[in-house]
Amino acid sequence: MIPEVSKIISEFDNLGYVVEEELATVLLLTLKLQKPLLLEGPPGVGKTEAAHIIASHLQTNLIRLQCYEGLDVHQAIYEWNYQKQLLSIKINEQSSLSASEKEAHIFGEDYLMKRPLLQAITATDKAPVLLIDEVDRADEEFEAFLLELLSDFQISIPEMGTVKAPHRPVVILTSNRTRELSDALKRRCLYHWIDYPNFEKELKIVQKRFPVMNEDVALTLVKLVTHFREQNLQKSPGIAETLDWCDGLLALGMERFTPEFIEKTLGCILKSETDIQSVKAQNLEQVLEAVEA
Amino acid sequence: MALAHFKHYPSFDEALIGFTRYCRENELGIGLSHSQEALQAATAGFAGDEGTLKYTLKALFCTCTEDHDTFDKCFQVFWGTRKHTYNHKIQNKNTSNVVKRSNNSLVMMGFKPQGAETPKEEEEAKNVSGASAVESLKFTDFSKVSAIDRQVLDELANKLLKQLNHRLKRKLESTKQGQIDIRKTIRNNMSNGDALIKLARRDRKMERYRIILLLDVSGSMDKYSFFLLKFIWSLKSNLKQIEAFVFSTKLVRITEFLRQDQLDETLFQMSQNADNWSSGTKIGKCFEDFNNLYAKRILNGKSITIVLSDGLDHGQPELLAQETQKIRLRTSKLVWLNPLKGTQGYEPTARGMQAALPSIDEFQSAHNLHSLLELENILANV
């Protein structure tokens, strides 16, 4: 491990994010090479969280673009404020400005509604962190558009010309892999796969987030989650679910696990009816005993 | 071939370039820019330690988690402590249980395991295209896929069909936010003087078509029906209005079995209920049943009927001709996909096919993945 990596691990640790050597190296590389980073992995393993932590590590803004199907240029980059433009035309009808001046006026910055990508490009004081979340949900057309942005960090607006970023934003893309991203996009990014955490890491995360929690309870909880994850469930619980469960546990003031309690709070950790049924069908008492042993 | 160990190179930079070449030879998709970035990263201090170097290059060179294994092996060979002179190609050896697995699903569908195919046939199939293995698989006739290729083909099919679905859905759903409708905007804003404040937008109105699939599962279609069923199953996940039937000597509606999340579950339920697999063929009779029982309810001006069959019929051609025509009159488009059409020199001379031809709008092949993907055009431009 080179000193810079261990430095980044301890800094992230202070911010409350447990990061292993590999991810730390990749994050450092992202900052050094100024290349976008593509994080893939199952839902709820802390992909989005990684971007948040980088932003607070760099003490800069996080600009987030949530992708969805049908996302288009108007929602991702910019749109003209048509109403304002029309009103402005109306107001300036009587003024002595020439037509070309009027035109230049209504296509000025005041009338431009900046959406996340343009915001990220035009940030003046400091390079922001741009999080393009769940990029696999967007359409392929949008992906093609991202290519221009990610390789040159510039956007062309026909009425205004090309806008180039004064500071290169740190770009993090996340994907749940509901579909394969195009090779062209992947080629422009660093790649890292975040998997479910191993037992020690998860325990560390729980203890970090919930220092008040009894150590034995935390241990049992993480073991139970690991046990659930080993089963062939429709949706395996991620770290997010583990933390939810911890929250629930503390809120209900439970001192120790009982089968009834597990049964009642299964909804914190399993998010599908079939999964809940299949877990309930097991003998929870035995499961608990086996886990606690 | 690149020398496969770093000690063969005089300097670290050259070794790094050697490593990129070595990875490229082992089929990681690495371009020139990757070697540049690797050097850049090394200069930035990421080569100070073996672990860091490994993680750095991994993030640079891999584009999906499936690459990780190959990369790890490459890294181990290239940067390992033991110097060696031989060059070997890294191979992923995780195909050992393929035959068993694919056989299970085949047996379930009433197939015989196909391990005993002659090597000559496989060769012929692979020669279809000279491009990469993936490309050639796309053009390989389903009936000539060996058991080992089958897994690869399954994965490829999953991937391509997912993409197809994605595009189709996009095309069918169109935009939610339309262009500004100037005429309507002006009319709506009359009360404001001529200041245009409320903007009216115009959407393209999309017609929703219903898709009806009739899959032939008779003995002569054995080699194809599994793939075609898979195709139907993957279509259903995004096209909401879909009706599917399988037919051989009798007609069975399988729409409700398709509702399962897992293909295995669908197959299981079908094996319980559809007892007409791999029997003879009476297309005319089945179409008659279809017309009597379902056609009035499910066929309308906004439906596309797709028949997947080889047209080898044991029934009366007159009946088939008559019933096909009936279907044609009720549906807006009748597509016939015939796996045999992919074979060179095929002419639709079978009596059944001859009888049905006059009523068909589109007559296409369906013998390999590529031809199934072509269907996108039919489905999208209706």
Side-chain angles (χ1 to χ4, degrees):
Chain A
M1 204 188 304
I2 59 173
E4 279 167 299
V5 172
S6 43
K7 191 167 153 241
I8 223 170
I9 292 179
S10 70
E11 278 174 21
F12 277 27
D13 204 50
N14 291 337
L15 292 166
Y17 188 76
V18 182
V19 54
E20 63 275 77
E21 188 191 340
E22 180 165 1
L23 181 56
T25 313
V26 174
L27 290 176
L28 185 65
L29 194 65
T30 312
L31 300 179
K32 280 273 163 81
L33 292 188
Q34 300 196 319
K35 242 186 135 185
L37 169 64
L38 171 62
L39 290 176
E40 275 191 344
V45 290
K47 298 185 291 292
T48 309
E49 192 62 18
H52 283 279
I53 296 295
I54 291 187
S56 51
H57 166 70
L58 298 173
Q59 293 173 346
T60 178
N61 288 335
L62 176 81
I63 298 172
R64 176 174 177 166
L65 174 70
Q66 171 69 48
C67 295
Y68 52 86
E69 199 174 324
L71 178 71
D72 63 4
V73 174
H74 299 306
Q75 282 128 29
I77 309 166
Y78 72 95
E79 188 162 30
W80 291 105
N81 192 340
Y82 299 110
Q83 277 91 341
K84 205 173 166 192
Q85 284 177 329
L86 290 166
L87 282 174
S88 163
I89 295 170
K90 193 81 182 141
I91 291 165
N92 289 322
E93 241 169 32
Q94 313 297 332
S95 73
S96 54
L97 294 170
S98 72
S100 60
E101 277 170 328
K102 279 182 196 163
E103 191 187 321
H105 178 63
I106 60 166
F107 285 113
E109 286 237 4
D110 287 351
Y111 297 86
L112 191 65
M113 293 195 282
K114 289 183 183 173
R115 306 288 195 213
L117 292 184
L118 190 59
Q119 277 172 23
I121 291 282
T122 52
T124 45
D125 48 341
K126 212 172 182 188
V129 174
L130 171 63
L131 168 64
I132 304 176
D133 217 358
E134 304 192 344
V135 65
D136 51 335
R137 284 172 194 260
D139 310 301
E140 269 162 49
E141 293 86 340
F142 182 74
E143 214 177 277
F145 172 80
L146 272 183
L147 294 181
E148 186 200 350
L149 181 80
L150 294 184
S151 49
D152 303 334
F153 290 95
Q154 61 179 35
I155 287 173
S156 1
I157 302 174
E159 296 87 353
M160 289 178 76
T162 306
V163 183
K164 204 164 168 44
H167 306 283
R168 253 180 172 215
V170 179
V171 185
I172 313 276
L173 298 101
T174 73
S175 156
N176 284 334
R177 245 188 162 193
T178 54
R179 72 181 169 87
E180 210 57 43
L181 301 173
S182 74
D183 283 350
L185 182 67
K186 282 181 162 179
R187 204 166 51 75
R188 284 168 173 78
C189 301
L190 296 171
Y191 177 84
H192 181 71
W193 173 267
I194 304 188
D195 213 336
Y196 291 119
N198 57 23
F199 178 76
E200 288 79 24
K201 188 186 171 192
E202 189 155 28
L203 190 62
K204 218 168 144 192
I205 296 172
V206 168
Q207 283 168 346
K208 191 136 213 100
R209 287 294 178 89
F210 299 96
V212 291
M213 188 179 253
N214 182 327
E215 207 167 299
D216 287 343
V217 175
L219 201 70
T220 314
L221 186 138
V222 174
K223 277 184 180 167
L224 275 172
V225 174
T226 319
H227 168 76
F228 288 148
R229 226 170 259 157
E230 278 160 5
Q231 293 174 25
N232 193 10
L233 297 176
Q234 278 188 1
K235 193 202 166 301
S236 293
I239 305 178
E241 276 83 13
T242 312
L243 296 178
D244 276 355
W245 213 16
C246 294
D247 246 344
L249 211 68
L250 288 179
L252 296 173
M254 290 305 290
E255 299 284 309
R256 52 182 290 274
F257 273 98
T258 60
E260 299 80 48
F261 174 74
I262 298 177
E263 200 173 320
K264 277 178 195 150
T265 52
L266 266 185
C268 289
I269 195 134
L270 300 175
K271 306 292 168 67
S272 125
E273 176 58 19
T274 16
D275 288 352
I276 292 180
Q277 290 307 342
S278 81
V279 168
K280 276 186 181 167
Q282 301 167 16
N283 188 344
L284 285 175
E285 212 160 321
Q286 275 179 12
V287 170
L288 200 58
E289 262 173 36
V291 160
E292 275 174 340
Chain B
M1 262 221 152
L3 294 167
H5 197 267
F6 74 96
K7 284 187 182 153
H8 296 297
Y9 297 89
S11 72
F12 177 77
D13 285 2
E14 279 167 83
L16 204 53
I17 302 291
F19 181 61
T20 50
R21 280 184 55 196
Y22 182 60
C23 287
R24 199 176 299 143
E25 280 161 13
N26 284 299
E27 284 161 21
L28 289 173
I30 295 176
L32 281 179
S33 63
H34 287 96
S35 359
Q36 232 173 36
E37 278 157 2
L39 283 175
Q40 206 182 329
T43 326
F46 283 91
D49 165 282
E50 189 181 320
T52 311
L53 180 68
K54 180 173 176 181
Y55 298 143
T56 304
L57 295 178
K58 201 171 184 177
L60 279 167
F61 289 178
C62 297
T63 55
C64 57
T65 125
E66 285 77 18
D67 286 352
H68 285 168
D69 269 358
T70 319
F71 177 85
D72 286 346
K73 283 175 197 157
C74 286
F75 192 89
Q76 207 183 355
V77 170
F78 195 91
W79 300 99
T81 40
R82 214 154 35 86
K83 183 174 173 175
H84 51 78
T85 45
Y86 56 90
N87 290 312
H88 58 248
K89 217 161 163 149
I90 308 282
Q91 276 173 347
N92 279 327
K93 290 201 176 70
N94 52 359
T95 44
S96 55
N97 58 349
V98 174
V99 179
K100 202 173 135 213
R101 263 184 58 194
S102 57
N103 278 355
N104 280 345
S105 59
L106 293 176
V107 169
M108 191 180 218
M109 302 296 302
F111 288 127
K112 294 173 281 292
Q114 306 204 337
E117 262 177 332
T118 62
K120 190 176 169 291
E121 269 185 331
E122 284 171 36
E123 213 169 275
E124 181 193 349
K126 279 188 181 151
N127 279 341
V128 178
S129 160
S132 72
V134 166
E135 268 308 294
S136 76
L137 257 185
K138 238 166 110 176
F139 290 93
T140 303
D141 197 309
F142 291 143
S143 62
K144 289 175 181 163
V145 178
S146 67
I148 289 178
D149 278 347
R150 195 173 284 272
Q151 196 196 22
V152 187
L153 185 71
D154 270 359
E155 279 164 20
L156 181 68
N158 283 340
K159 196 169 137 193
L160 290 175
L161 291 175
K162 226 176 192 173
Q163 284 175 8
L164 166 78
N165 255 325
H166 195 76
R167 282 201 300 273
L168 266 183
K169 196 174 173 193
R170 173 90 182 121
K171 279 180 179 165
L172 293 176
E173 291 202 337
S174 181
T175 55
K176 286 188 188 78
Q177 322 220 312
Q179 303 239 304
I180 293 177
D181 183 347
I182 295 291
R183 184 185 296 197
K184 205 169 164 193
T185 303
I186 292 174
R187 194 168 60 235
N188 283 353
N189 287 288
M190 294 269 249
S191 54
N192 303 331
D194 51 353
L196 305 176
I197 294 175
K198 286 181 220 148
L199 299 180
R201 291 180 187 263
R202 178 171 44 186
D203 277 350
R204 204 149 47 105
K205 193 162 181 181
M206 292 306 279
E207 299 274 358
R208 283 190 173 267
Y209 277 77
R210 176 182 285 173
I211 308 229
I212 291 94
L213 293 147
L214 295 159
L215 172 63
D216 186 346
V217 291
S218 59
S220 57
M221 287 281 288
D222 261 1
K223 283 172 177 166
Y224 299 98
S225 34
F226 178 69
F227 281 98
L228 296 177
L229 186 74
K230 199 181 169 84
F231 172 69
I232 293 177
W233 185 83
S234 71
L235 269 186
K236 66 97 202 190
S237 55
N238 279 318
L239 300 168
K240 298 265 155 46
Q241 294 204 34
I242 192 162
E243 286 282 343
F245 300 84
V246 290
F247 67 87
S248 51
T249 44
K250 65 178 193 176
L251 184 79
V252 178
R253 182 164 178 227
I254 57 165
T255 310
E256 65 246 51
F257 308 137
L258 291 178
R259 300 233 162 85
Q260 299 304 325
D261 294 336
Q262 301 289 323
L263 179 61
D264 291 344
E265 185 63 21
T266 300
L267 290 180
F268 175 72
Q269 291 195 1
M270 283 183 51
S271 65
Q272 303 286 306
N273 292 289
D275 52 354
N276 56 352
W277 286 90
S278 308
S279 46
T281 332
K282 291 204 171 105
I283 307 180
K285 163 82 171 36
C286 290
F287 280 13
E288 190 182 7
D289 288 348
F290 175 74
N291 277 324
N292 290 338
L293 293 169
Y294 301 103
K296 281 178 201 148
R297 273 192 292 137
I298 62 176
L299 292 184
N300 57 22
K302 279 190 212 160
S303 60
I304 302 169
T305 310
I306 300 175
V307 180
L308 301 132
S309 166
D310 54 7
L312 301 176
D313 187 23
H314 299 312
Q316 303 162 339
E318 297 79 27
L319 182 66
L320 177 61
Q322 178 194 334
E323 297 299 328
T324 316
Q325 182 60 19
K326 270 192 198 163
I327 295 180
R328 173 68 198 93
L329 290 175
R330 280 190 185 275
T331 187
S332 65
K333 196 165 197 174
L334 179 60
V335 181
W336 192 297
L337 300 179
N338 188 339
L340 296 182
K341 202 184 170 216
T343 356
Q344 255 184 356
Y346 169 78
E347 293 285 335
T349 45
R351 281 186 311 153
M353 208 56 247
Q354 278 288 345
L357 261 186
S359 316
I360 298 170
D361 296 308
E362 297 253 5
F363 183 51
Q364 298 220 354
S365 62
H367 63 296
N368 58 22
L369 259 180
H370 183 255
S371 61
L372 285 184
L373 293 173
E374 292 273 297
L375 199 64
E376 179 188 356
N377 297 328
I378 301 177
L379 293 177
N381 302 325
V382 284

